[in-house]
CSV table of all heavy atoms in Angstrom, one decimal:
chain,number,residue,atom,x,y,z
A,1,GLU,N,8.8,16.5,-1.9
A,1,GLU,CA,8.3,16.5,-3.3
A,1,GLU,C,9.1,15.6,-4.2
A,1,GLU,O,8.5,15.2,-5.2
A,1,GLU,CB,8.2,17.9,-3.8
A,1,GLU,CG,7.1,18.8,-3.1
A,1,GLU,CD,5.7,18.3,-3.4
A,1,GLU,OE1,5.4,17.7,-4.5
A,1,GLU,OE2,4.9,18.5,-2.5
A,2,ASP,N,10.4,15.4,-4.0
A,2,ASP,CA,11.2,14.6,-4.9
A,2,ASP,C,11.2,13.1,-4.4
A,2,ASP,O,12.1,12.4,-4.9
A,2,ASP,CB,12.6,15.2,-5.1
A,2,ASP,CG,13.2,15.7,-3.9
A,2,ASP,OD1,12.5,16.0,-2.9
A,2,ASP,OD2,14.5,15.8,-3.8
A,3,ALA,N,10.3,12.6,-3.6
A,3,ALA,CA,10.2,11.2,-3.3
A,3,ALA,C,9.9,10.4,-4.5
A,3,ALA,O,9.2,10.9,-5.5
A,3,ALA,CB,9.1,11.0,-2.2
A,4,PRO,N,10.3,9.1,-4.6
A,4,PRO,CA,10.0,8.3,-5.8
A,4,PRO,C,8.6,8.0,-6.0
A,4,PRO,O,8.1,7.7,-7.1
A,4,PRO,CB,10.9,7.1,-5.6
A,4,PRO,CG,11.1,7.0,-4.1
A,4,PRO,CD,11.1,8.4,-3.6
A,5,PHE,N,7.8,8.0,-4.9
A,5,PHE,CA,6.3,7.8,-5.0
A,5,PHE,C,5.7,8.3,-3.7
A,5,PHE,O,6.4,8.8,-2.8
A,5,PHE,CB,6.0,6.3,-5.2
A,5,PHE,CG,6.7,5.4,-4.1
A,5,PHE,CD1,5.9,4.9,-3.1
A,5,PHE,CD2,8.0,4.9,-4.3
A,5,PHE,CE1,6.5,4.1,-2.1
A,5,PHE,CE2,8.6,4.1,-3.3
A,5,PHE,CZ,7.8,3.7,-2.2
A,6,PHE,N,4.4,8.3,-3.7
A,6,PHE,CA,3.6,8.8,-2.5
A,6,PHE,C,4.1,10.3,-2.2
A,6,PHE,O,4.2,10.6,-1.0
A,6,PHE,CB,3.8,7.9,-1.3
A,6,PHE,CG,3.2,6.6,-1.4
A,6,PHE,CD1,3.7,5.6,-0.5
A,6,PHE,CD2,2.3,6.2,-2.3
A,6,PHE,CE1,3.2,4.3,-0.6
A,6,PHE,CE2,1.8,4.9,-2.4
A,6,PHE,CZ,2.2,3.9,-1.5
A,7,THR,N,4.2,11.1,-3.2
A,7,THR,CA,4.5,12.5,-2.9
A,7,THR,C,3.4,13.2,-2.3
A,7,THR,O,2.2,12.9,-2.5
A,7,THR,CB,5.0,13.2,-4.2
A,7,THR,OG1,4.0,13.1,-5.2
A,7,THR,CG2,6.3,12.7,-4.7
A,8,PRO,N,3.6,14.2,-1.4
A,8,PRO,CA,2.6,14.8,-0.7
A,8,PRO,C,1.5,15.4,-1.6
A,8,PRO,O,1.8,16.1,-2.6
A,8,PRO,CB,3.3,16.0,0.0
A,8,PRO,CG,4.7,15.5,0.1
A,8,PRO,CD,5.0,14.7,-1.1
A,9,GLY,N,0.2,15.1,-1.2
A,9,GLY,CA,-0.9,15.6,-1.9
A,9,GLY,C,-1.2,15.0,-3.3
A,9,GLY,O,-2.1,15.4,-4.0
A,10,SER,N,-0.4,14.0,-3.7
A,10,SER,CA,-0.5,13.5,-5.1
A,10,SER,C,-1.6,12.5,-5.2
A,10,SER,O,-2.0,11.9,-4.2
A,10,SER,CB,0.8,12.8,-5.5
A,10,SER,OG,1.0,11.7,-4.8
A,11,GLU,N,-2.1,12.3,-6.4
A,11,GLU,CA,-3.2,11.2,-6.6
A,11,GLU,C,-2.6,9.8,-6.3
A,11,GLU,O,-3.3,9.0,-5.8
A,11,GLU,CB,-3.6,11.3,-8.1
A,11,GLU,CG,-4.7,10.3,-8.4
A,11,GLU,CD,-6.0,10.5,-7.7
A,11,GLU,OE1,-6.3,11.7,-7.3
A,11,GLU,OE2,-6.8,9.5,-7.4
A,12,GLY,N,-1.3,9.7,-6.5
A,12,GLY,CA,-0.7,8.4,-6.2
A,12,GLY,C,-0.6,8.0,-4.7
A,12,GLY,O,-0.6,6.9,-4.4
A,13,ALA,N,-0.7,9.1,-3.9
A,13,ALA,CA,-0.7,8.9,-2.5
A,13,ALA,C,-2.1,8.6,-1.9
A,13,ALA,O,-2.2,8.2,-0.7
A,13,ALA,CB,0.0,10.1,-1.8
A,14,HIS,N,-3.1,8.7,-2.7
A,14,HIS,CA,-4.5,8.4,-2.2
A,14,HIS,C,-4.7,6.9,-2.1
A,14,HIS,O,-4.1,6.1,-2.8
A,14,HIS,CB,-5.5,9.0,-3.2
A,14,HIS,CG,-5.5,10.5,-3.2
A,14,HIS,ND1,-6.2,11.2,-4.1
A,14,HIS,CD2,-4.9,11.4,-2.4
A,14,HIS,CE1,-6.1,12.5,-3.9
A,14,HIS,NE2,-5.3,12.7,-2.9
A,15,LEU,N,-5.7,6.6,-1.2
A,15,LEU,CA,-6.1,5.2,-1.1
A,15,LEU,C,-6.7,4.8,-2.4
A,15,LEU,O,-7.3,5.5,-3.1
A,15,LEU,CB,-7.1,5.1,0.0
A,15,LEU,CG,-6.7,5.3,1.5
A,15,LEU,CD1,-7.8,5.3,2.4
A,15,LEU,CD2,-5.5,4.4,1.9
A,16,HIS,N,-6.4,3.5,-2.7
A,16,HIS,CA,-7.0,2.9,-4.0
A,16,HIS,C,-8.5,2.7,-3.8
A,16,HIS,O,-9.0,2.4,-2.7
A,16,HIS,CB,-6.3,1.6,-4.3
A,16,HIS,CG,-6.5,1.1,-5.7
A,16,HIS,ND1,-7.6,0.3,-6.0
A,16,HIS,CD2,-5.9,1.4,-6.8
A,16,HIS,CE1,-7.6,0.1,-7.3
A,16,HIS,NE2,-6.6,0.7,-7.8
A,17,ALA,N,-9.2,2.8,-4.9
A,17,ALA,CA,-10.7,2.7,-5.0
A,17,ALA,C,-11.2,1.4,-4.4
A,17,ALA,O,-12.3,1.3,-3.9
A,17,ALA,CB,-11.2,3.0,-6.4
A,18,LYS,N,-10.4,0.3,-4.5
A,18,LYS,CA,-10.8,-1.0,-4.1
A,18,LYS,C,-11.0,-1.0,-2.5
A,18,LYS,O,-11.8,-1.9,-2.1
A,18,LYS,CB,-9.8,-2.1,-4.5
A,18,LYS,CG,-9.8,-2.3,-5.9
A,18,LYS,CD,-8.9,-3.5,-6.3
A,18,LYS,CE,-8.9,-3.7,-7.8
A,18,LYS,NZ,-8.2,-4.9,-8.2
A,19,VAL,N,-10.4,-0.1,-1.8
A,19,VAL,CA,-10.4,-0.2,-0.3
A,19,VAL,C,-10.6,1.2,0.3
A,19,VAL,O,-10.1,1.4,1.4
A,19,VAL,CB,-9.2,-0.9,0.2
A,19,VAL,CG1,-9.1,-2.3,-0.2
A,19,VAL,CG2,-7.9,-0.1,-0.2
A,20,LEU,N,-11.4,2.0,-0.3
A,20,LEU,CA,-11.6,3.4,0.3
A,20,LEU,C,-12.3,3.3,1.6
A,20,LEU,O,-13.1,2.4,1.8
A,20,LEU,CB,-12.4,4.2,-0.7
A,20,LEU,CG,-11.8,4.7,-1.9
A,20,LEU,CD1,-12.8,5.5,-2.8
A,20,LEU,CD2,-10.6,5.6,-1.6
A,21,ASN,N,-11.9,4.2,2.5
A,21,ASN,CA,-12.5,4.2,3.8
A,21,ASN,C,-14.0,4.7,3.7
A,21,ASN,O,-14.3,5.4,2.8
A,21,ASN,CB,-11.8,5.1,4.8
A,21,ASN,CG,-11.7,6.5,4.4
A,21,ASN,OD1,-11.4,6.9,3.2
A,21,ASN,ND2,-12.1,7.4,5.3
A,22,GLU,N,-14.8,4.2,4.6
A,22,GLU,CA,-16.2,4.6,4.6
A,22,GLU,C,-16.6,5.0,6.0
A,22,GLU,O,-16.0,4.5,7.0
A,22,GLU,CB,-17.1,3.4,4.2
A,22,GLU,CG,-17.0,2.9,2.8
A,22,GLU,CD,-17.9,1.7,2.5
A,22,GLU,OE1,-18.6,1.2,3.4
A,22,GLU,OE2,-18.0,1.4,1.3
A,23,GLY,N,-17.6,5.8,6.1
A,23,GLY,CA,-18.2,6.2,7.4
A,23,GLY,C,-17.1,6.7,8.4
A,23,GLY,O,-16.4,7.6,8.0
A,24,ASN,N,-17.1,6.1,9.5
A,24,ASN,CA,-16.1,6.6,10.6
A,24,ASN,C,-14.8,5.8,10.6
A,24,ASN,O,-14.1,5.8,11.6
A,24,ASN,CB,-16.8,6.5,11.9
A,24,ASN,CG,-17.2,5.1,12.4
A,24,ASN,OD1,-17.1,4.2,11.6
A,24,ASN,ND2,-17.6,5.0,13.6
A,25,GLU,N,-14.5,5.1,9.5
A,25,GLU,CA,-13.2,4.4,9.5
A,25,GLU,C,-12.0,5.4,9.4
A,25,GLU,O,-11.9,6.1,8.4
A,25,GLU,CB,-13.2,3.4,8.3
A,25,GLU,CG,-14.2,2.3,8.3
A,25,GLU,CD,-14.3,1.5,7.0
A,25,GLU,OE1,-13.6,1.9,6.0
A,25,GLU,OE2,-15.1,0.6,7.0
A,26,PRO,N,-11.2,5.4,10.4
A,26,PRO,CA,-10.1,6.4,10.4
A,26,PRO,C,-9.0,6.1,9.4
A,26,PRO,O,-8.8,4.9,9.0
A,26,PRO,CB,-9.5,6.3,11.8
A,26,PRO,CG,-9.9,4.9,12.3
A,26,PRO,CD,-11.2,4.6,11.6
A,27,VAL,N,-8.4,7.1,8.9
A,27,VAL,CA,-7.2,7.0,8.0
A,27,VAL,C,-6.1,7.6,8.7
A,27,VAL,O,-6.1,8.8,9.0
A,27,VAL,CB,-7.5,7.7,6.7
A,27,VAL,CG1,-6.2,7.6,5.8
A,27,VAL,CG2,-8.7,7.2,5.9
A,28,VAL,N,-5.1,6.8,9.0
A,28,VAL,CA,-3.9,7.2,9.7
A,28,VAL,C,-2.8,7.6,8.7
A,28,VAL,O,-2.5,6.8,7.8
A,28,VAL,CB,-3.3,6.1,10.7
A,28,VAL,CG1,-2.0,6.5,11.3
A,28,VAL,CG2,-4.4,5.8,11.8
A,29,LEU,N,-2.3,8.8,8.8
A,29,LEU,CA,-1.3,9.3,7.8
A,29,LEU,C,0.1,9.0,8.5
A,29,LEU,O,0.3,9.4,9.6
A,29,LEU,CB,-1.5,10.8,7.5
A,29,LEU,CG,-0.4,11.4,6.6
A,29,LEU,CD1,-0.4,10.7,5.3
A,29,LEU,CD2,-0.6,12.9,6.6
A,30,LYS,N,1.0,8.3,7.7
A,30,LYS,CA,2.3,8.1,8.3
A,30,LYS,C,3.4,8.6,7.3
A,30,LYS,O,3.1,8.8,6.1
A,30,LYS,CB,2.5,6.6,8.5
A,30,LYS,CG,2.6,5.7,7.3
A,30,LYS,CD,2.8,4.2,7.7
A,30,LYS,CE,2.8,3.3,6.5
A,30,LYS,NZ,4.0,3.3,5.8
A,31,HIS,N,4.5,8.8,7.9
A,31,HIS,CA,5.7,9.3,7.1
A,31,HIS,C,6.9,8.4,7.2
A,31,HIS,O,8.0,8.7,6.7
A,31,HIS,CB,6.1,10.7,7.5
A,31,HIS,CG,4.9,11.7,7.4
A,31,HIS,ND1,4.4,12.1,6.2
A,31,HIS,CD2,4.3,12.4,8.3
A,31,HIS,CE1,3.4,13.0,6.4
A,31,HIS,NE2,3.3,13.2,7.6
A,32,PHE,N,6.7,7.3,7.9
A,32,PHE,CA,7.8,6.4,8.2
A,32,PHE,C,7.3,5.0,7.8
A,32,PHE,O,6.1,4.7,7.6
A,32,PHE,CB,8.2,6.4,9.6
A,32,PHE,CG,8.8,7.7,10.1
A,32,PHE,CD1,8.0,8.6,10.8
A,32,PHE,CD2,10.1,8.1,9.8
A,32,PHE,CE1,8.5,9.8,11.2
A,32,PHE,CE2,10.6,9.3,10.2
A,32,PHE,CZ,9.8,10.2,10.9
A,33,VAL,N,8.2,4.0,7.7
A,33,VAL,CA,7.9,2.6,7.3
A,33,VAL,C,6.9,2.0,8.4
A,33,VAL,O,5.9,1.4,8.0
A,33,VAL,CB,9.2,1.8,7.2
A,33,VAL,CG1,8.9,0.3,7.0
A,33,VAL,CG2,10.0,2.3,6.0
A,34,ASN,N,7.3,2.2,9.6
A,34,ASN,CA,6.5,1.7,10.7
A,34,ASN,C,5.2,2.5,11.0
A,34,ASN,O,5.3,3.7,11.3
A,34,ASN,CB,7.3,1.6,12.0
A,34,ASN,CG,6.6,1.0,13.2
A,34,ASN,OD1,5.4,0.9,13.2
A,34,ASN,ND2,7.3,0.8,14.3
A,35,ALA,N,4.1,2.0,10.8
A,35,ALA,CA,2.8,2.7,10.9
A,35,ALA,C,2.5,3.2,12.4
A,35,ALA,O,1.7,4.1,12.6
A,35,ALA,CB,1.6,1.9,10.5
A,36,PHE,N,3.2,2.7,13.4
A,36,PHE,CA,3.1,3.2,14.7
A,36,PHE,C,4.0,4.4,15.0
A,36,PHE,O,3.7,5.2,15.9
A,36,PHE,CB,3.4,2.1,15.7
A,36,PHE,CG,2.4,1.0,15.8
A,36,PHE,CD1,2.5,-0.2,15.1
A,36,PHE,CD2,1.2,1.2,16.6
A,36,PHE,CE1,1.5,-1.2,15.2
A,36,PHE,CE2,0.2,0.2,16.7
A,36,PHE,CZ,0.4,-1.0,16.0
A,37,ARG,N,5.0,4.6,14.2
A,37,ARG,CA,6.0,5.6,14.5
A,37,ARG,C,5.5,7.0,14.1
A,37,ARG,O,5.1,7.2,12.9
A,37,ARG,CB,7.3,5.4,13.7
A,37,ARG,CG,8.4,6.4,14.0
A,37,ARG,CD,9.7,6.1,13.3
A,37,ARG,NE,10.6,7.2,13.4
A,37,ARG,CZ,11.6,7.4,12.7
A,37,ARG,NH1,11.9,6.5,11.7
A,37,ARG,NH2,12.4,8.4,12.8
A,38,GLY,N,5.3,7.9,15.0
A,38,GLY,CA,4.9,9.3,14.7
A,38,GLY,C,3.5,9.4,14.3
A,38,GLY,O,3.1,10.4,13.7
A,39,THR,N,2.6,8.4,14.6
A,39,THR,CA,1.2,8.5,14.2
A,39,THR,C,0.4,8.2,15.5
A,39,THR,O,0.9,7.9,16.5
A,39,THR,CB,0.9,7.4,13.2
A,39,THR,OG1,0.9,6.1,13.8
A,39,THR,CG2,1.8,7.4,12.0
A,40,ASN,N,-0.9,8.3,15.3
A,40,ASN,CA,-1.9,8.0,16.3
A,40,ASN,C,-2.5,6.6,16.2
A,40,ASN,O,-3.5,6.3,16.8
A,40,ASN,CB,-3.0,9.1,16.3
A,40,ASN,CG,-3.9,9.0,15.1
A,40,ASN,OD1,-3.5,8.5,14.0
A,40,ASN,ND2,-5.1,9.5,15.2
A,41,LEU,N,-1.8,5.7,15.5
A,41,LEU,CA,-2.4,4.4,15.3
A,41,LEU,C,-2.6,3.7,16.6
A,41,LEU,O,-3.7,3.1,16.8
A,41,LEU,CB,-1.5,3.5,14.4
A,41,LEU,CG,-1.9,2.1,14.2
A,41,LEU,CD1,-3.3,2.0,13.6
A,41,LEU,CD2,-0.9,1.4,13.3
A,42,ARG,N,-1.7,3.7,17.5
A,42,ARG,CA,-1.8,3.0,18.8
A,42,ARG,C,-3.0,3.6,19.6
A,42,ARG,O,-3.8,2.9,20.2
A,42,ARG,CB,-0.6,3.1,19.6
A,42,ARG,CG,-0.6,2.2,20.8
A,42,ARG,CD,0.7,2.0,21.5
A,42,ARG,NE,0.6,1.0,22.6
A,42,ARG,CZ,1.5,0.8,23.5
A,42,ARG,NH1,2.7,1.5,23.4
A,42,ARG,NH2,1.4,-0.1,24.4
A,43,THR,N,-3.1,4.9,19.6
A,43,THR,CA,-4.3,5.6,20.3
A,43,THR,C,-5.6,5.2,19.7
A,43,THR,O,-6.6,4.9,20.4
A,43,THR,CB,-4.1,7.1,20.2
A,43,THR,OG1,-2.9,7.5,20.8
A,43,THR,CG2,-5.2,7.8,20.9
A,44,VAL,N,-5.7,5.1,18.3
A,44,VAL,CA,-6.9,4.7,17.6
A,44,VAL,C,-7.3,3.3,18.1
A,44,VAL,O,-8.4,3.0,18.4
A,44,VAL,CB,-6.7,4.7,16.1
A,44,VAL,CG1,-7.8,4.0,15.4
A,44,VAL,CG2,-6.6,6.2,15.6
């Protein structure tokens, strides 16, 4: 909760309106710099 930005559940952590996902476009949630680390990105 004391992260400088992208705090859990915050409005700031939401995708920006210019590029919101639509339909069946997956959204991968990550907690590290590398989007492959600890996520299902490779599986997707």
Side-chain angles (χ1 to χ4, degrees):
E1 289 292 332
D2 43 334
F5 55 99
F6 297 160
T7 54
S10 69
E11 184 64 29
H14 291 171
L15 294 175
H16 193 271
K18 291 184 181 192
V19 294
L20 288 176
N21 63 309
E22 291 181 356
N24 64 349
E25 296 170 357
V27 179
V28 173
L29 177 63
K30 69 181 177 80
H31 302 295
F32 298 100
V33 173
N34 179 350
F36 287 98
R37 181 179 173 196
T39 72
N40 65 338
L41 178 57
R42 190 170 187 190
T43 301
V44 167

